[in-house]
Amino acid sequence: ERAERKISLTVSQGKFLFYLPFPTANFERVEDIAKQSGIEPEAMAEITDIVNVLIELNVIEKEKV
């Protein structure tokens, strides 16, 4: 069963999602994706917010330590 969710993104969050690797790609750290997408350090709080939402929705996985 699928559920539709609508999320309003900031420009920084949109850039981050654009560079998010596909499921078949190797694991990448959030910081590395943010750097690759040109996100300023001041916007990392916004990125943390969207990452937490994506973890809750099982779109991405939290690294297992």
Side-chain angles (χ1 to χ4, degrees):
E1 184 178 315
R2 291 182 177 215
E4 181 178 324
R5 305 240 200 284
K6 294 187 180 190
I7 301 172
S8 296
L9 301 174
T10 65
V11 172
S12 295
Q13 290 170 335
K15 286 182 183 181
F16 179 83
L17 290 181
F18 182 80
Y19 283 92
L20 197 64
F22 287 105
T24 55
N26 291 331
F27 171 83
E28 288 189 47
R29 297 181 55 202
V30 169
E31 295 82 4
D32 296 337
I33 299 168
K35 185 177 180 180
Q36 180 183 11
S37 60
I39 294 172
E40 299 295 326
E42 301 82 37
M44 284 307 292
E46 297 173 19
I47 302 308
T48 301
D49 291 342
I50 193 64
V51 165
N52 288 332
V53 169
L54 294 174
I55 289 170
E56 288 176 21
L57 296 174
N58 294 315
V59 174
I60 61 174
E61 293 181 357
K62 191 173 184 178
E63 182 180 18
K64 295 172 179 71
V65 180

